[in-house]
Amino acid sequence: MKHLIDRLYETSTLTAAEYRELIDNRTPELAEYLFEKARDVRIRHYGHDVYLRGLIEFTNHCKNDCYYCGIRRSNCQAERYRLTKEQILECCAVGYELGFRTFVLQGGEDGYYTDEKMVDIIRAIKAKYPDCAITLSIGEKSYDSYKAFFDAGADRYLLRHETANVEHYGKLHPKNLSLENRKQCLYNLKEIGYQVGCGFMVGSPYQTTDCLVDDLLFIQELKPHMVGIGPFIPHHATPFAGFSGGTLELTLFLLGIIRLMLPTVLLPATTALGTIHPRGRELGILAGANVVMPNLSPRSVRPKYMLYDNKICTGDEAAECRQCMQRRIESIGYRVVVSRGDHKSFQKKD
Ligand code: SAM
Ligand code: FES
């Protein structure tokens, strides 16, 4: 199996059958070999730098009803909130002081935030912090909405495709949502000029190796600038409450593969990874990740943005998370940098 890793390292691509073989025959020894290669590639492109993103979870209202998600519309136990523009700017102010130069505005698909309101928020952040990047993660919108946000100053957009297998997509989402539209959104975002992130949950209900192979082939086709992957973790008040979660081991293996497929990709070690293992994020960095996204949301709302059970960092202040993250990264010989942390192909903007 090492020969497949060697070829992925050299050519950044494998066939569907080879990806399947690699995933199905993985062993701890093979994983260690993969991570060494993945570290080699990330160090070549980004050294030991780890980029920080300040995550601002500005609304947990959502019109969608994804079966896996704790803030889905039908979860009437969720206590809903929205942050005002002033509250969002306050998060940015705290974050800027702490060395964040990217703010990620994430939320459910919430019609309250019209395009006009979003444009106003984006412009206000950019006016105050012209040296910072804005990443949006607010779901599926029209081409024109994406264009309006981009023209207002948004730089990047995260929209996980969730699964690239049509049947699997149908098992994770109600009928009004389609993989076709999700993919079209990603292509639109790319065309407009965003740094684009897709991604998926590892170990989501009904996921098979074939689904993962479809995910890898889609990533190979889209060539995103960022890939967000993390384990699926069940939430008690969703239809998937009774399913088991994704594993650390498979998530790390896939992080390593993705680093070799897209050598310059911005790859976060996610909060979900830190939730299923106390050193999940550090292990993610050691498997090839180069981004971490500490929480900048006001402490009062953090427990309400509960996508899955036992989410970490819901009781901490932003400064505590920032310090904790720095210690964690330094403990494995990497360093947190104060920078926008653009994808290599966009770094002229720095
Ligand atoms: N509404 C936006 C969207 O659809 O892209 C952004 C918010 S959504 C909650 C962000 C991501 O959380 C999703 O793309 C999904 O992969 C992840 N997520 C939701 N529920 C999860 C769960 N139970 N376990 C792990 N990740 C989950
Ligand atoms: Fe939040 Fe460690 S990153 S407590």
Side-chain angles (χ1 to χ4, degrees):
M1 240 19 70
K2 280 189 178 171
H3 69 284
L4 291 181
I5 293 176
D6 288 339
R7 189 132 49 77
L8 190 57
Y9 175 75
E10 277 150 28
T11 66
S12 301
T13 176
L14 292 177
T15 65
E18 289 167 336
Y19 283 126
R20 188 177 305 113
E21 205 183 333
L22 193 56
I23 293 170
D24 280 344
N25 295 295
R26 66 190 191 280
T27 59
E29 192 207 357
L30 194 69
E32 212 27 72
Y33 186 70
L34 171 66
F35 301 156
E36 269 170 39
K37 295 284 184 196
R39 287 196 294 269
D40 181 85
V41 168
R42 79 85 88 194
I43 290 166
R44 188 184 318 150
H45 292 289
Y46 293 104
H48 286 80
D49 292 357
V50 174
Y51 296 135
L52 279 178
R53 279 60 168 112
L55 182 62
I56 305 172
E57 300 155 330
F58 70 99
T59 171
N60 72 349
H61 288 258
C62 191
K63 69 178 167 63
N64 290 333
D65 220 11
C66 306
Y67 302 140
Y68 45 83
C69 187
I71 61 170
R72 64 198 297 267
R73 185 185 63 210
S74 297
N75 181 9
C76 44
Q77 293 174 25
E79 214 185 303
R80 306 289 171 174
Y81 72 89
R82 293 185 174 110
L83 298 186
T84 62
K85 175 173 138 188
E86 290 67 34
Q87 285 175 306
I88 295 171
L89 283 166
E90 180 52 32
C91 294
C92 297
V94 170
Y96 194 88
E97 278 302 304
L98 292 171
F100 289 91
R101 296 295 179 268
T102 291
F103 301 117
V104 181
L105 301 186
Q106 191 182 83
E109 291 197 17
D110 181 358
Y112 170 84
Y113 296 91
T114 57
D115 287 3
E116 292 67 34
K117 284 204 178 81
M118 284 312 301
V119 162
D120 184 43
I121 291 167
I122 294 163
R123 285 212 181 110
I125 297 174
K126 277 288 179 174
K128 230 169 155 196
Y129 306 103
D131 55 335
C132 291
I134 296 179
T135 303
L136 298 178
S137 178
I138 52 175
E140 297 176 29
K141 305 272 175 186
S142 68
Y143 187 99
D144 290 347
S145 300
Y146 286 151
K147 180 83 170 69
F149 305 153
F150 185 78
D151 290 342
D155 301 88
R156 311 190 191 119
Y157 206 104
L158 296 175
L159 185 75
R160 290 185 175 184
H161 62 281
E162 310 298 359
T163 171
N165 179 288
V166 182
E167 287 80 47
H168 189 214
Y169 198 92
K171 291 181 179 165
L172 300 183
H173 303 98
K175 285 207 165 40
N176 66 317
L177 296 173
S178 76
L179 177 58
E180 199 189 350
N181 193 55
R182 198 91 180 161
K183 283 186 174 178
Q184 188 57 54
C185 286
L186 284 162
Y187 285 110
N188 289 348
L189 289 161
K190 232 183 155 189
E191 187 184 306
I192 290 167
Y194 283 94
Q195 295 174 58
V196 175
C198 67
F200 58 93
M201 291 175 291
V202 177
S204 58
Y206 311 107
Q207 186 178 66
T208 61
T209 304
D210 282 338
C211 298
L212 292 173
V213 171
D214 287 344
D215 288 323
L216 296 179
L217 294 179
F218 174 62
I219 288 171
Q220 206 156 275
E221 178 193 303
L222 177 69
K223 297 197 184 358
H225 308 89
M226 313 176 277
V227 176
I229 67 163
F232 160 72
I233 304 173
H235 183 287
H236 64 277
T238 63
F240 289 164
F243 283 84
S244 45
T247 64
L248 174 77
E249 178 270 320
L250 182 54
T251 308
L252 295 177
F253 197 78
L254 288 161
L255 282 172
I257 291 182
I258 293 167
R259 169 60 62 202
L260 294 190
M261 289 172 66
L262 300 171
T264 56
V265 74
L266 296 165
L267 193 61
T270 56
T271 305
L273 197 54
T275 297
I276 62 164
H277 188 282
R279 292 185 67 245
R281 287 166 297 181
E282 293 90 310
L283 294 170
I285 300 290
L286 292 170
N290 64 336
V291 172
V292 286
M293 300 171 69
N295 203 319
L296 268 188
S297 311
R299 200 163 73 161
S300 58
V301 305
R302 285 190 196 197
K304 300 178 186 162
Y305 199 83
M306 211 44 98
L307 306 180
Y308 44 80
D309 291 341
N310 306 315
K311 188 173 166 222
I312 52 169
C313 305
T314 50
D316 304 301
E317 289 296 353
E320 295 173 69
C321 278
R322 172 70 177 80
Q323 292 319 317
C324 165
M325 195 55 80
Q326 176 130 0
R327 277 196 307 277
R328 287 171 180 273
I329 300 303
E330 288 174 358
S331 77
I332 52 167
Y334 287 72
R335 62 182 192 126
V336 168
V337 292
V338 175
S339 141
R340 279 171 51 118
D342 284 299
H343 185 267
K344 268 209 139 179
S345 62
F346 280 73
Q347 277 188 358
K348 55 191 175 300
K349 274 187 174 176
D350 248 349

